[in-house]
Amino acid sequence: MMNSMLSYILLHKPDKWETVNNYDESYKLFDLEVNSLEYINIITLFNSISPKIKSIKRVQNPFQYGRFKLRQEMLQNMLEETAYYVVHMSKLKIALKFTCDYRRLTCQYSNKQPCFISSVSEAISKAMLNEMEDKKNILILSKIPGPTKTQSDYYIRYIIDFKKLEIN
């Protein structure tokens, strides 16, 4: 059953996803090419801080994506909106593996759900706050519009990784 479900999800994966023969972990990361349209579309959102961006990685997690698509179908709502989530680099693997589960990240939360940010400028402000002390990443997510009720209401699409701050 598991392989047939995964096969079905991979047959209906997003167009931009790379073909992967084996998901030995729940997700795979792919560096976006600097000249690709996908990279350019994202970097333009972060125009004010683009020189500080080290890389943009696509997250391919068919398990999260499949849950998200099933949830959309259940709610009969195929709309998606973009949200942002700022995570410390030491917690990045946990956020990716457990879909930003607030219990595992031990961060501030509202109504026992991750605190998603709806604007790029607010995400940038939060990521750059205390940049001398903290190394943070911004996750770009797709989510079903409205209040987030379950981890199936969203999935992680990209990771924005920042260059280390150079001190002279």
Side-chain angles (χ1 to χ4, degrees), residues 1-27:
M1 176 70 172
M2 182 62 159
N3 281 339
S4 61
M5 182 70 120
L6 179 59
S7 297
Y8 183 79
I9 292 166
L10 292 175
L11 282 174
H12 299 89
K13 67 186 180 350
D15 294 336
K16 296 173 182 164
W17 279 21
E18 305 288 329
T19 300
V20 175
N21 294 328
N22 182 17
Y23 278 92
D24 49 353
E25 290 190 36
S26 59
Y27 63 88

Side-chain angles (χ1 to χ4, degrees), residues 4 8 14 16 22 33 38 60 84-85 94 101 118 158:
S4 61
Y8 183 79
K16 296 173 182 164
N22 182 17
E33 295 292 327
E38 192 175 8
Q60 291 186 191
Y84 306 91
Y85 187 77
I94 295 168
D101 185 340
S118 58
Y158 300 101

Side-chain angles (χ1 to χ4, degrees), residues 9 18 96 143 162:
I9 292 166
E18 305 288 329
L96 293 171
K143 76 181 263 325
F162 297 98

